[in-house]
């Protein structure tokens, strides 16, 4: 009886583990497919091309982030006793990676623009950043329903700027950190304009 009970466990253990690279490829294509599904694209060939563009972007971003992170770790360990040297090397590595990210970002958007409308490109950007920009904008409108048009435009501009940066971040935590920084900027802007953030939070709860 015990032998029979153990059979399913043995069969499960016998299954080969998924290759890490194959697992990564599957994940980025699943992410890309979810984003493409929001675009309303009826052309199957175009949808497939856009899906490949998005998946390739994730892979290309990893190709910059992973070497950068390894180099940063090595630089900090090597210059642990010399803070000034460590900071200089860290800055050099980060600047070099940013230049690569900026170039990749521009090329990616150009490829998307060749396939999609501006509104669809925005949906891709939102998909790659968990929809934080439109969600946060909506929250501010509920918190402060009397915002002027120019104030709404400024908030929207800052959130769009945050979205552009967050698109190139390597992890969910890094993406949310970008938006957190910009939300701090927006809160300071509204406070200087005389808006009560605590009152805004009360409006949000109503």
């Amino acid at each position: 009886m015990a032998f029979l009970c153990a059979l399913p466990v043995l069969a499960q253990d016998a299954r080969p583990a998924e290759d890490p690279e194959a697992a990564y490829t599957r994940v980025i294509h699943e992410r890309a497919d979810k984003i493409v599904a929001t675009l309303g694209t009826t052309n199957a060939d175009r949808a497939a091309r856009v899906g490949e563009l998005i998946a390739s972007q994730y892979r290309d971003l990893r190709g910059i982030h992973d070497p950068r992170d390894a180099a940063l770790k090595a630089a900090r360990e090597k210059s642990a006793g010399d803070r000034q040297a460590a900071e200089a090397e860290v800055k050099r590595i980060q600047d070099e990676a940013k230049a690569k990210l900026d170039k990749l970002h521009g090329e990616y958007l150009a490829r998307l623009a060749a396939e999609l409308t501006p509104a669809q490109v925005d949906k891709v950007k939102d998909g790659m950043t968990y929809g934080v920009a439109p969600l946060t904008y909506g929250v501010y409108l509920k918190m402060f329903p009397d915002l002027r048009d120019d104030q709404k435009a400024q908030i929207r501009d800052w959130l769009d700027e945050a979205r552009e940066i967050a698109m190139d971040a390597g992890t969910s935590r890094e993406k949310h950190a970008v938006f957190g920084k910009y939300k701090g900027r927006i809160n300071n802007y509204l406070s200087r304009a005389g808006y009560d953030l605590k009152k805004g939070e009360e409006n949000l709860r109503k």
Side-chain angles (χ1 to χ4, degrees):
M1 185 69 174
F3 175 74
L4 292 176
C5 292
L7 281 179
V9 177
L10 291 174
Q12 183 177 2
D13 290 345
R15 288 184 301 179
E18 186 175 13
D19 175 74
E21 190 60 30
Y24 175 75
T25 298
R26 175 177 53 78
V27 168
I28 61 176
H29 278 89
E30 287 174 353
R31 290 179 187 171
D33 289 344
K34 287 180 180 178
I35 294 172
V36 171
T38 70
L39 304 180
T41 303
T42 57
N43 186 307
D45 290 339
R46 176 169 295 164
R49 289 195 300 271
V50 172
E52 283 300 322
L53 283 176
I54 298 170
S56 294
Q57 181 70 359
Y58 280 123
R59 188 178 297 280
D60 290 342
L61 287 170
R62 185 183 70 160
I64 297 174
H65 291 143
D66 285 359
R68 177 204 63 189
D69 293 345
L72 287 173
K73 181 180 179 181
R76 291 185 177 110
E77 291 174 350
K78 181 179 179 181
S79 306
D82 189 338
R83 181 177 177 181
Q84 187 173 359
E87 289 178 349
E89 181 62 6
V90 164
K91 185 178 185 306
R92 184 193 68 78
I93 294 168
Q94 290 176 331
D95 288 347
E96 185 178 286
K98 186 178 184 305
K100 293 178 181 179
L101 289 171
D102 288 346
K103 182 175 184 294
L104 179 64
H105 187 91
E107 293 171 347
Y108 175 55
L109 293 185
R111 294 189 183 103
L112 288 178
E115 299 283 357
L116 303 172
T117 66
Q120 288 173 322
V121 172
D122 278 341
K123 286 187 176 182
V124 173
K125 293 178 180 181
D126 287 333
M128 294 185 71
T129 53
Y130 312 113
V132 174
L135 178 62
T136 304
Y137 182 67
V139 167
Y140 278 116
L141 294 185
K142 291 178 181 178
M143 290 176 68
F144 308 108
D146 57 341
L147 285 169
R148 301 192 310 266
D149 287 345
D150 62 309
Q151 292 170 328
K152 293 178 184 178
Q154 179 61 82
I155 293 170
R156 182 76 249 192
D157 286 346
W158 274 330
L159 289 173
D160 285 347
E161 184 177 325
R163 183 178 63 180
E164 295 297 316
I165 298 171
M167 281 175 62
D168 297 337
T171 66
S172 171
R173 182 177 180 178
E174 290 173 354
K175 292 176 189 290
H176 284 290
V178 172
F179 283 105
K181 175 183 177 181
Y182 275 81
K183 281 188 273 188
R185 180 183 297 182
I186 292 169
N187 289 345
N188 290 336
Y189 167 73
L190 292 174
S191 293
R192 290 195 301 271
Y195 288 93
D196 186 337
L197 294 178
K198 289 185 178 180
K199 177 62 177 176
E201 292 174 357
E202 291 176 5
N203 291 337
L204 189 61
R205 288 193 292 267
K206 290 180 181 178

